[in-house]
Amino acid sequence: MPDTKEIMGFAGKKLFRLASLLVLVCFVSFMLIQYSPIDPVRAYIGEMTVSEEHKAKLEEYWGVNTPPQEKFLNWAGNILKGDFGVSLIYRMPVVDVIKERSTASFVLMATSWLFSGVLGFILGIVAGMKKGTWIDRAIKTYCYVLAATPTFWLALVLLMVFSVNLGWFPIGLSVPIGVTADNVTFFDRIQHLILPALTLSLLGVAQIAMFTREKLIEVLSSDYVLFAKARGEKGLDLVLRHGVRNVALPAITLQFLGFSELFGGAVLVEQVFAYPGIGRAAVAAGLGSDVPLLLGIVIISALFVFSGNLIADIIYKFVDPRIKQQEAAV
């Protein structure tokens, strides 16, 4: 078990990295938006005609003529107070928009993450066991094709085949059109979730499957596995006792490290399927020049990716006993 000093040192480093990451992400994102052609006043009034006096008040409210450095400090101060501003598109606080949209995105990403991890791990184990056979070649080909497939293209293909042509699943959204929230059933939500989750999970299979395959081949060629074979162990029992146990933790660690790819894929999938998640809100904020919402989503996405890396580091440092043995040997 790790001692208190080691845990405190680890936590201190991670908190410092998180603070540094947020400051850097906030500053760079804010400055990029400030020097972009985005006009928050025009985005707020849209096509409405307003008087010059009203427009001047809006420019003063949004700080159009304020120096960028001063605007950043004011915005950062409000962020520290929990005030992310008001969304120009949805006309509600950014925090409320993120809360509302993040629930749907969390369900989508969690489902896809679990399915891709389990399926990729199983395919990797099978490919490693059948190294050099037609099964191994088929799984590798499948993974290479998936790795080279654009997310939006696969989403469009699945949408056209299973929704438009076959009619097995609804076309987009997370609930049926024209149905109030009280009348939406659990089955309705599952039915609208299947295709987006399937698209996102299929794309995440390739990396975990190929990694698991390589690690299993490495484990099966190790000395202690050769010794186990000499004692008469073989087949699936050998793989389960010595292979899976040594491959599982690195595979789980890699799965957590893939949070950035998961979030990026979710943005495209949500856009294609019109799924009302935080990724679709990010696209709408970018196209609609909704600066407060866009910056809020940037912060949330940075926290999401950091959390995945943090969990992976915890597994790597405190859970995997081989790491402790390597550190002790050094």
Side-chain angles (χ1 to χ4, degrees):
M1 292 291 293
D3 55 26
T4 305
K5 183 178 180 181
E6 184 179 7
I7 295 176
M8 293 298 294
F10 179 82
K13 289 180 181 179
K14 292 303 175 183
L15 287 175
F16 176 76
R17 289 182 182 179
L18 175 60
S20 303
L21 172 68
L22 290 178
V23 170
L24 182 62
V25 167
C26 289
F27 181 77
V28 172
S29 302
F30 189 88
M31 289 304 170
L32 286 175
I33 291 177
Q34 288 303 308
Y35 289 104
S36 69
I38 292 178
D39 185 357
V41 175
R42 175 53 58 186
Y44 183 79
I45 63 178
E47 300 299 327
M48 295 187 300
T49 302
V50 297
S51 63
E52 291 297 326
E53 181 181 358
H54 189 196
K55 185 177 180 180
K57 290 182 178 179
L58 288 174
E59 289 179 348
E60 181 181 357
Y61 174 78
W62 290 108
V64 173
N65 299 319
T66 306
Q69 294 79 3
E70 183 179 345
K71 290 171 66 175
F72 173 75
L73 292 177
N74 293 334
W75 173 76
N78 292 332
I79 292 294
L80 292 176
K81 299 175 184 177
D83 181 11
F84 283 69
V86 177
S87 170
L88 304 180
I89 299 176
Y90 300 99
R91 300 293 196 269
M92 58 189 297
V94 169
V95 174
D96 293 341
V97 176
I98 292 177
K99 286 181 180 178
E100 181 182 309
R101 296 302 184 106
S102 60
T103 302
S105 289
F106 175 78
V107 173
L108 172 63
M109 289 189 287
T111 305
S112 305
W113 185 83
L114 287 173
F115 185 77
S116 64
V118 172
L119 180 59
F121 187 75
I122 293 174
L123 289 178
I125 293 296
V126 173
M129 290 176 58
K130 303 295 183 180
K131 177 187 176 183
T133 65
W134 67 269
I135 297 177
D136 180 30
R137 290 192 292 270
I139 292 176
K140 287 196 297 182
T141 302
Y142 169 74
C143 292
Y144 290 146
V145 171
L146 282 182
T149 302
T151 305
F152 69 91
W153 183 84
L154 180 60
L156 288 172
V157 170
L158 293 179
L159 184 65
M160 288 188 294
V161 173
F162 294 102
S163 294
V164 178
N165 295 332
L166 298 177
W168 291 357
F169 300 100
I171 303 176
L173 303 179
S174 62
V175 294
I177 299 175
V179 179
T180 60
D182 296 334
N183 295 325
V184 177
T185 64
F186 178 75
F187 177 75
D188 291 332
R189 297 185 185 278
I190 293 297
Q191 194 176 23
H192 284 76
L193 175 66
I194 290 176
L195 270 189
L198 180 63
T199 303
L200 194 56
S201 59
L202 285 178
L203 293 170
V205 166
Q207 183 179 17
I208 192 71
M210 295 303 296
F211 174 82
T212 303
R213 174 188 178 274
E214 295 301 323
K215 293 296 291 184
L216 182 62
I217 292 174
E218 179 183 335
V219 169
L220 293 180
S221 61
S222 60
D223 293 338
Y224 64 88
V225 173
L226 294 177
F227 179 71
K229 288 180 179 179
R231 291 188 305 174
E233 296 184 38
K234 59 181 179 179
L236 184 60
D237 182 64
L238 174 69
V239 173
L240 292 177
R241 290 192 59 183
H242 301 284
V244 174
R245 292 172 58 184
N246 288 280
V247 172
L249 273 179
I252 294 173
T253 304
L254 179 67
Q255 191 73 345
F256 278 109
L257 289 173
F259 269 24
S260 59
E261 298 176 4
L262 180 66
F263 188 88
V267 172
L268 297 175
V269 169
E270 290 178 7
Q271 189 66 15
V272 173
F273 289 98
Y275 196 82
I278 198 169
R280 185 167 171 79
V283 175
L287 296 177
S289 302
D290 192 343
V291 176
L293 179 57
L294 190 60
L295 289 173
I297 292 176
V298 167
I299 295 175
I300 295 302
S301 62
L303 289 172
F304 177 76
V305 174
F306 181 84
S307 65
N309 293 335
L310 176 61
I311 295 173
D313 286 344
I314 291 174
I315 295 174
Y316 181 84
K317 187 171 182 62
F318 297 114
V319 178
D320 194 340
R322 292 170 298 179
I323 305 302
K324 304 296 295 182
Q325 293 173 1
Q326 292 174 7
E327 291 178 352
V330 174

